[in-house]
Amino acid sequence: MRQLIVRRLLQAIPMLFVVSVVCFGMIKLAPGDPVLSFVTPNMHAEDIERIRHNLGLDQPAYVQYLLWLKECLSGNLGYSLVNHQPVLDQIVDRLPATVGLMGISIALAVLLAIPLGMIAGANRNRWIDKLINLIAYIGISVPLFWLAILFIYLFAIKLHWLPSMGMRTIGKESALDVVKHGILPCAVLTIGFLASYVRYIRSGTIGQFKEEYVQIQYAFGSKKSTVLFRHVMKHVLLPIITLLGMSMGDLVTGALVTETVFSWPGIGSLGMTAVRGMDYPVIMGITLFSAVLLILGNLAADILYGVADPRIKSGEVSS
């Protein structure tokens, strides 16, 4: 297991390098100029060039990247071009809001998807399977920003049940107030994750019902529900570890649009603000941070795989 961890960490180094190069290149190829956010109608061309020089944007792109990489290797993700605040401090300040929202959404989606996907797979092509499939297809097809606007209109504007935006009501510091503000964005994100998770678990359940051990259990007189929840379930849940590992990156970037619609003060809204302002240090910081989480999530999934199934553990080490 130690060899597996060391090997994966060494593999992550070139991967992070490639991610940073691609992201930096895409930012430089994108239309727009971050200097324009500082320009006023009365500025002269010399003033604009002075701002460009102070921001380091007058140098070639590869020089800008090498300077950023040098600072990044020293633990400094740079400073925002818009508000001049340290990028790492901004990410750390907004991280709890995003992780709390995304963590609860992913957990709810998994808890709901396991029984729904297994029931749909166990009753393939029956009415319950078609109904769950229909709901899943709707969840996959509906854009989250449209669903968020619909929820705001229905539950906040029409029914006045829940607040429409923000994380707290001005003047209130209670945990209940935060929960009320988080219900709508959490519901939207849960629906988005739930749809894909249900399809994933349903497919795994159908595959397990074709295995010989299921037929053997039927031959011993086991009921379908017993086979489903006692034998099939543990085999279906094993790939969920990988699914959760791949969702680690979503803890940071999975709520870009949803946080923006609901004005949730997380990393997603910070990223959207950075994109609009061509604030490439913030964009690079968020991208790199999410890539690190994704790599660590996959590593954690491999470790948990070895814990859950010793055969996988021995196979990984021997390879």
Side-chain angles (χ1 to χ4, degrees):
M1 185 62 69
R2 183 178 301 175
Q3 296 176 2
L4 171 64
I5 295 175
V6 173
R7 186 169 66 248
R8 286 301 180 89
L9 291 177
L10 291 177
Q11 292 173 353
I13 296 175
M15 190 181 305
L16 290 175
F17 175 73
V18 172
V19 168
S20 65
V21 171
V22 172
C23 181
F24 195 89
M26 293 180 65
I27 293 173
K28 290 302 178 182
L29 292 175
D33 187 354
V35 177
L36 296 179
S37 60
F38 299 91
V39 174
T40 62
N42 298 326
M43 275 188 177
H44 298 288
E46 295 81 3
D47 299 325
I48 297 176
E49 290 304 317
R50 189 180 302 112
I51 294 174
R52 191 182 304 277
H53 175 73
N54 292 335
L55 294 176
L57 299 177
D58 58 339
Q59 304 183 56
Y62 73 91
V63 175
Q64 296 180 40
Y65 174 77
L66 291 176
L67 291 174
W68 174 86
L69 183 61
K70 179 182 177 181
E71 293 295 324
C72 183
L73 292 176
S74 64
N76 179 19
L77 295 180
Y79 291 83
S80 169
L81 298 180
V82 176
N83 55 30
H84 308 291
Q85 298 295 318
V87 173
L88 185 59
D89 290 349
Q90 295 185 68
I91 293 176
V92 171
D93 289 342
R94 291 175 176 252
L95 186 62
T98 296
V99 170
L101 181 64
M102 293 299 299
I104 294 174
S105 301
I106 293 174
L108 288 175
V110 171
L111 291 176
L112 292 173
I114 290 173
L116 291 176
M118 292 182 64
I119 291 173
N123 297 276
R124 186 181 182 185
N125 295 329
R126 296 183 180 179
W127 70 269
I128 186 65
D129 178 36
K130 294 179 180 179
L131 177 61
I132 295 175
N133 262 325
L134 176 62
I135 297 173
Y137 281 129
I138 293 175
I140 294 173
S141 304
V142 173
L144 290 186
F145 76 89
W146 182 86
L147 186 63
I149 294 174
L150 179 64
F151 277 20
I152 291 175
Y153 177 78
L154 178 61
F155 295 105
I157 297 176
K158 283 295 184 181
L159 299 177
H160 302 285
W161 287 355
L162 297 167
S164 60
M165 60 182 59
M167 187 174 174
R168 290 184 177 88
T169 303
I170 298 177
K172 291 185 178 181
E173 297 294 335
S174 65
L176 180 60
D177 183 62
V178 177
V179 171
K180 289 182 178 179
H181 281 80
I183 289 177
L184 289 183
C186 183
V188 171
L189 291 170
T190 299
I191 292 173
F193 285 115
L194 178 63
S196 58
Y197 289 179
V198 165
R199 296 289 301 164
Y200 188 87
I201 296 173
R202 175 186 179 272
S203 177
T205 303
I206 293 175
Q208 289 300 318
F209 266 96
K210 297 178 181 178
E211 298 293 333
E212 292 183 359
Y213 74 88
V214 174
Q215 305 304 322
I216 293 174
Q217 293 298 323
Y218 282 148
F220 279 110
S222 299
K223 296 182 180 179
K224 188 174 185 178
S225 59
T226 303
V227 174
L228 178 63
F229 291 105
R230 181 172 297 180
H231 302 283
V232 173
M233 184 176 181
K234 61 182 180 181
H235 294 281
V236 172
L237 292 184
L238 195 59
I240 298 297
I241 298 176
T242 302
L243 199 63
L244 292 177
M246 295 176 63
S247 299
M248 286 294 291
D250 292 332
L251 287 176
V252 177
T253 60
L256 285 172
V257 177
T258 305
E259 286 189 359
T260 303
V261 173
F262 287 100
S263 298
W264 189 263
I267 296 179
S269 57
L270 175 65
M272 291 298 290
T273 303
V275 170
R276 288 193 294 265
M278 291 294 295
D279 195 351
Y280 78 86
V282 175
I283 299 174
M284 291 293 295
I286 294 176
T287 303
L288 193 65
F289 194 75
S290 61
V292 170
L293 282 181
L294 180 59
I295 292 171
L296 292 178
N298 283 307
L299 177 60
D302 290 336
I303 295 173
L304 291 176
Y305 251 106
V307 173
D309 193 337
R311 295 171 301 176
I312 298 176
K313 179 179 179 180
S314 59
E316 286 283 357
V317 175
S318 61
S319 63

